[in-house]
Amino acid sequence: MTQQSAPKRFGALLAVYLLGIFMGAIDTGIITPARTIVQNDLKVDDATGIWMITIYTLAYAAAIPVMGKLADRFGRKPIYLISIALFGLGSLAAGLSQDVGSFSMLLTARAIQAIGGGGIVPIATAEFGTSVPEEKRGLALGLVGGVYGVANIFGSSAGSLILDIFGDHNWQYIFYVNVPISLFIIVAGVLVLPNHKAESVARIDLLGIAVVVAMVTSLLYGLRNIDYFDLGTSLRSVEVYPFLLAFLVLLPVLIAVERRAEDPVLNLAYFTRRPILVTLLLSFLSGMILMGVVFVPQFAENALRIPTGSGGYFVIVLGLASGIGAPLSGQLTDRFGPQVVVGTGFGVSVIAALVGAFWAIPAPSWASVLITLALMGLGLGFVVGSPINYMMLSQTPPEESNSALATLSLIRSIGTTIAPAFLVGFLAHAGTELADNLTAQLPSQISAPALPYAAELQTKFNELKSDPELKDKLKNVEFPDLNSQTTINIDTTSSSGATLPDDLVELLKTADVTNIVERSKVVAERQFATQTPSVIADITNGVNTGLDSLSTTSADLSTAEKKLTKAITGVSSGIDGMNKAATGMRSGIAGMTKAITGMDAALAGMAKGVDGAGQGVSGLQAQIDQTTAQLATAQAELADLNTQLAALDPTDPQFPTLQAALQGQIAAKTGQIGGYQGQLVGLNAALDQASGKLTDLKQQRATLAAQRAALAAQRATLSSQLATIETKLSSAKTSRSDLISARNQLVTAQADLADTSRKLTVLRDAVPGAFDTAKSNYLAEIDARGPQLEQTFVRTLNTGFFGIFSASAVSAVVALLLLLGYPRRRPSAEVGQPATAQEASV
């Protein structure tokens, strides 16, 4: 190792390294009082939220050997300052994760923090062990152990203090507080720290570290998903058994890798020797018991009924007791040997777990809680630190002391990594029962105030349905039984298939004993708002159905009334019309009689006209016959004259005279014939005209006779109709009287329905107010049951804490049994025992 002269500014060097150790160590516990607040704000459950601690311890354990090797190769100063920078950057990102609202970002930031933290303690320890003057080395190494232990224990108290200053939901300041400290250390470190590096450095066992991290991560994830109260089923889950198998499969891989490693992260030879194997198992169990501290704030808050975030202060009691036990264990180790001291420590841890499980849980008080925490701290002071280191060093050669202690530290870190993931399962299971247990304590019934007019309307409705005039219209209407609505059932349990919404389950799971009553009221109010609308709707719908039916019936009655009024008007109009018609018919009959008399006189006159026209036609026909005879005679005489003319002899001297005489006669006869023919034409025309007039006159007579017969028939029909109308008129007057009576009944019924509808409307409008009163009564009942709800909350979560205490007790008992396999002789110096327990604490 290349070593510079002892630094002149010993105090500055000590301050820079110790401040880094304090910052890195305090962050292990600083988040524990805020754990439930953080996971609630980032919307994750207990099993997931515990990873904000688990990821830190896992990455921290993996980073220690890597950072140590890097410091040996490149120098302690740059690697230490890089570690501080990583820690500061991780702290900044962790704080910003609240603003982003990302749990994944928080886990990544915590891993970066842990990688930085993994380089702080080993580099500082190595620097103090090699560079500090020998006369001050014991002081420096003692300060390393003291600062680390105090910071680790009092981290929870610091977390509670920050939450008190900035508020429960400003947990980012738990991380932001590291940023200025990191900047200060970096600036101061650049100025005052020397840079030492090893002369020769073995290769870093990166593959071995990777396999160990993979194994532990697989085991953690598998354990996270195990339901220890339903072990058989959960072991068959694809979220469990593949990861447990991966752990087993990687085990031979780790063995093969470590056998070939130049500087293995795990010295496999240690696992072949029973004393060392027992020591390593004790270290693993001590790490598991140590991480019970993670749940101390929540346990104290639940037991003493104080707000979330305040429980970190109670870790001070544990720290003080541990501060007493740690130096005392060193003195006792030098006197009695490590087995006795470690056995005493595990025995005290068993007592602490039993006191917590069987006193502090069933009878929580300041005394029971403080005594439990004091016993826990005392047991840890005996177990964690020098006695087990002493046992490890006593079984390994001096030249392997660094490797031995590194292996021991890694195994303890694995225990501290696995423990939270395992122990949180008890709280997670209690959380699943919390909602059911709390809701079972809520009142299951609400007293409902009486609704106005309920009894009266129920009676009235029954009367309406029995009314012969309305029962057909209301036969399908069903009103709710308004007299029976005195209580309302509210079911918040899962016994009848009803389940709380996820956000309400989460609300109860994330409550603490100081706000569980108010949150129970939120749950009850939501369930009231969820379930009572159906009851309100049943009543309102029933009333609305009744109102609709009454409205429909009233509308029907109004329509019927209008129809009756219209009918009465129509009947009255009909009566008036029938009176007018009867009068008209009587006048019509008289007129028809008079017309028939006139027609009879006309027919008599027409008969005389027909006779006269017939005689005229006969006279004209006689004249035509006479003229026709005369024409025939003249034509015969003309023919004879033409014959005589043709018979004349032209040679006859008298021929011209005879011819002229005959031609004169022919011309005269021809003229006579023409006169006869002209007379015939005139006579025929006169005959045709006289015949037409005769025919027309006969037709007119026949038509008038037919009209007279039709009018007589109409008069007979009209007389019959008059008799019918007079009968209907009498019946219509009777009907009008009946219609007026029916209309008066409908008007009365409409007024009755209107009053019923008004009262139903008042009742319906009063339903929401009645349920508001019922809700106020319900919430008041929950307030009255506040102590019972708080007790149920505490008792349910205590089942989880009982499991944690039981697991701690079992771990301590297993450790005591393992001690039986450790050699009972006090180790001798020749094996490699340190001179004192103080050296073992280094």
Side-chain angles (χ1 to χ4, degrees):
M1 171 78 68
T2 301
Q3 181 172 318
Q4 298 177 355
S5 60
K8 297 178 181 179
R9 291 176 291 183
F10 171 71
L13 179 145
L14 198 65
V16 170
Y17 277 122
L18 290 180
L19 185 58
I21 290 171
F22 180 84
M23 181 180 67
I26 202 172
D27 224 63
T28 303
I30 199 170
I31 198 173
T32 54
R35 177 179 62 85
T36 55
I37 298 173
V38 172
Q39 67 191 32
N40 295 341
D41 284 353
L42 297 183
K43 312 299 183 188
V44 296
D45 57 18
D46 281 326
T48 303
I50 199 64
W51 278 84
M52 70 183 80
I53 295 172
T54 300
I55 196 73
Y56 186 90
T57 56
L58 177 62
Y60 185 87
I64 288 175
V66 176
M67 289 300 189
K69 293 293 184 183
L70 291 176
D72 289 343
R73 176 167 294 182
F74 299 105
R76 293 171 187 158
K77 177 178 179 178
I79 300 304
Y80 179 76
L81 295 181
I82 289 172
S83 297
I84 294 295
L86 286 173
F87 194 88
L89 288 173
S91 298
L92 178 63
L96 291 174
S97 68
Q98 180 174 20
D99 299 319
V100 176
S102 171
F103 187 70
S104 299
M105 180 177 176
L106 175 62
L107 291 185
T108 303
R110 289 286 286 168
I112 295 172
Q113 272 190 301
I115 292 171
I120 295 174
V121 175
I123 292 174
T125 303
E127 185 69 20
F128 290 156
T130 58
S131 301
V132 173
E134 186 174 352
E135 67 275 10
K136 297 181 179 180
R137 191 171 298 166
L139 171 63
L141 292 174
L143 287 173
V144 170
V147 169
Y148 185 84
V150 170
N152 203 8
I153 293 298
F154 287 93
S156 297
S157 302
S160 291
L161 179 62
I162 291 173
L163 291 177
D164 283 345
I165 293 173
F166 294 100
D168 287 350
H169 295 286
N170 289 316
W171 48 264
Q172 68 265 42
Y173 291 101
I174 286 176
F175 302 106
Y176 286 157
V177 72
N178 297 323
V179 177
I181 299 175
S182 298
L183 292 174
F184 173 79
I185 294 173
I186 291 171
V187 172
V190 170
L191 297 176
V192 304
L193 293 183
N195 186 27
H196 297 151
K197 61 177 69 174
E199 295 178 355
S200 61
V201 182
R203 292 173 59 187
I204 301 174
D205 185 17
L206 291 177
L207 183 57
I209 293 171
V211 174
V212 169
V213 171
M215 289 177 65
V216 174
T217 303
S218 296
L219 184 60
L220 283 174
Y221 193 80
L223 292 176
R224 172 196 180 278
N225 294 310
I226 289 179
D227 182 356
Y228 298 100
F229 298 87
D230 189 11
L231 195 59
T233 301
S234 61
L235 286 176
R236 294 192 295 271
S237 169
V238 294
E239 297 291 324
V240 176
Y241 76 83
F243 299 94
L244 299 182
L245 286 177
F247 173 80
L248 297 176
V249 169
L250 288 172
L251 187 57
V253 175
L254 176 66
I255 294 173
V257 169
E258 294 302 272
R259 282 178 176 173
R260 294 185 178 137
E262 181 179 343
D263 185 13
V265 67
L266 285 176
N267 190 334
L268 299 180
Y270 293 155
F271 295 90
T272 62
R273 296 176 55 191
R274 189 181 69 177
I276 296 178
L277 179 60
V278 169
T279 303
L280 293 176
L281 291 174
L282 292 176
S283 180
F284 175 83
L285 292 172
S286 69
M288 291 196 66
I289 295 173
L290 173 63
M291 291 312 287
V293 176
V294 170
F295 304 98
V296 165
Q298 189 178 5
F299 167 69
E301 292 161 2
N302 189 61
L304 300 179
R305 306 188 180 190
I306 58 178
T308 298
S310 303
Y313 294 118
F314 288 83
V315 183
I316 295 175
V317 176
L318 191 148
L320 292 174
S322 179
I324 295 172
L328 183 60
S329 70
Q331 297 176 11
L332 294 176
T333 298
D334 290 335
R335 184 174 180 182
F336 299 106
Q339 298 99 311
V340 174
V341 176
V342 171
T344 301
F346 281 120
V348 173
S349 295
V350 172
I351 294 172
L354 295 177
V355 168
F358 295 102
W359 182 25
I361 286 178
S365 65
W366 285 84
S368 62
V369 171
L370 293 178
I371 290 174
T372 298
L373 297 183
L375 289 172
M376 287 177 63
L378 186 62
L380 288 174
F382 275 79
V383 170
V384 179
S386 60
I388 294 181
N389 291 354
Y390 195 113
M391 293 169 66
M392 189 67 179
L393 291 174
S394 69
Q395 296 296 330
T396 55
E399 62 272 15
E400 293 183 8
S401 59
N402 287 336
S403 174
L405 290 179
T407 300
L408 190 70
S409 176
L410 178 60
I411 295 299
R412 182 185 292 117
S413 296
I414 292 173
T416 60
T417 300
I418 291 174
F422 168 70
L423 296 177
V424 78
F426 295 104
L427 285 179
H429 180 77
T432 60
E433 296 179 340
L434 191 58
D436 286 344
N437 291 348
L438 288 171
T439 54
Q441 300 300 321
L442 298 179
S444 59
Q445 285 189 332
I446 307 171
S447 297
L451 295 171
Y453 302 117
E456 177 185 345
L457 287 172
Q458 197 75 53
T459 302
K460 187 64 177 178
F461 182 69
N462 293 334
E463 291 176 355
L464 289 173
K465 292 189 71 174
S466 62
D467 189 320
E469 297 293 332
L470 302 176
K471 63 180 181 181
D472 289 338
K473 298 180 181 296
L474 299 175
K475 63 182 179 181
N476 295 323
V477 179
E478 290 295 336
F479 268 58
D481 186 0
L482 300 175
N483 292 323
S484 67
Q485 298 291 339
T486 57
T487 60
I488 302 163
N489 293 324
I490 298 294
D491 188 3
T492 56
T493 68
S494 59
S495 58
S496 61
T499 57
L500 288 178
D502 291 340
D503 62 323
L504 293 185
V505 173
E506 191 63 25
L507 185 71
L508 292 177
K509 287 173 65 176
T510 57
D512 62 47
V513 71
T514 64
N515 60 24
I516 187 58
V517 175
E518 288 305 314
R519 292 198 177 188
S520 295
K521 289 168 68 175
V522 171
V523 171
E525 194 165 4
R526 175 84 72 83
Q527 291 301 95
F528 185 95
T530 300
Q531 297 183 23
T532 56
S534 62
V535 181
I536 295 174
D538 287 343
I539 297 174
T540 304
N541 290 339
V543 172
N544 284 336
T545 299
L547 285 171
D548 290 343
S549 300
L550 293 177
S551 176
T552 301
T553 303
S554 181
D556 291 344
L557 293 179
S558 178
T559 301
E561 180 199 351
K562 291 177 181 178
K563 288 181 178 180
L564 286 175
T565 301
K566 186 175 181 180
I568 291 169
T569 302
V571 170
S572 297
S573 298
I575 290 172
D576 293 340
M578 285 188 285
N579 282 327
K580 291 179 181 179
T583 301
M585 286 180 179
R586 293 187 187 96
S587 298
I589 290 170
M592 287 180 182
T593 302
K594 186 176 181 180
I596 289 171
T597 302
M599 286 181 179
D600 288 340
L603 285 172
M606 292 178 81
K608 291 180 180 180
V610 169
D611 291 342
Q615 290 175 2
V617 169
S618 298
L620 287 173
Q621 187 63 48
Q623 289 179 8
I624 290 171
D625 292 343
Q626 182 181 359
T627 303
T628 300
Q630 290 173 348
L631 176 62
T633 301
Q635 287 175 338
E637 290 176 350
L638 178 62
D640 185 59
L641 289 174
N642 283 325
T643 300
Q644 290 177 16
L645 179 63
L648 290 179
D649 184 8
T651 64
D652 188 353
Q654 295 183 347
F655 176 76
T657 302
L658 292 173
Q659 182 182 27
L662 287 173
Q663 286 179 342
Q665 292 178 1
I666 290 171
K669 189 57 72 176
T670 299
Q672 186 181 16
I673 291 171
Y676 287 143
Q677 289 177 337
Q679 290 179 3
L680 285 174
V681 170
L683 289 172
N684 282 323
L687 178 62
D688 288 340
Q689 185 177 7
S691 296
K693 288 182 178 180
L694 178 62
T695 301
D696 288 341
L697 192 56
K698 288 180 178 180
Q699 288 179 347
Q700 289 175 2
R701 185 180 65 178
T703 299
L704 186 59
Q707 289 176 347
R708 193 261 182 205
L711 188 59
Q714 288 178 358
R715 184 180 62 179
T717 301
L718 192 59
S719 297
S720 175
Q721 289 176 347
L722 177 60
T724 301
I725 284 178
E726 289 175 342
T727 302
K728 288 183 177 179
L729 183 61
S730 176
S731 176
K733 291 179 179 179
T734 302
S735 296
R736 181 172 62 180
S737 298
D738 293 341
L739 288 174
I740 292 172
S741 176
R743 183 180 63 179
N744 293 337
Q745 290 179 355
L746 287 179
V747 170
T748 303
Q750 280 182 285
D752 201 10
L753 290 178
D755 182 64
T756 302
S757 295
R758 180 186 64 79
K759 291 178 178 178
L760 271 177
T761 302
V762 172
L763 182 147
R764 181 195 62 191
D765 294 343
V767 170
F771 274 80
D772 287 341
T773 302
K775 182 177 73 174
S776 299
N777 295 339
Y778 187 53
L779 296 179
E781 176 65 20
I782 293 175
D783 280 328
R785 297 189 184 190
Q788 186 177 347
L789 286 168
E790 290 177 356
Q791 184 61 32
T792 299
F793 180 88
V794 171
R795 186 171 60 250
T796 302
L797 277 192
N798 277 344
T799 61
F801 292 119
F802 184 86
I804 292 174
F805 280 124
S806 298
S808 297
V810 170
S811 298
V813 170
V814 171
L816 290 173
L817 295 175
L818 287 172
L819 277 173
L820 298 177
Y822 192 84
R824 292 185 176 276
R825 63 179 178 83
R826 291 192 60 185
S828 60
E830 63 186 31
V831 180
Q833 176 188 358
T836 65
Q838 181 180 3
E839 294 183 21
S841 67
V842 175

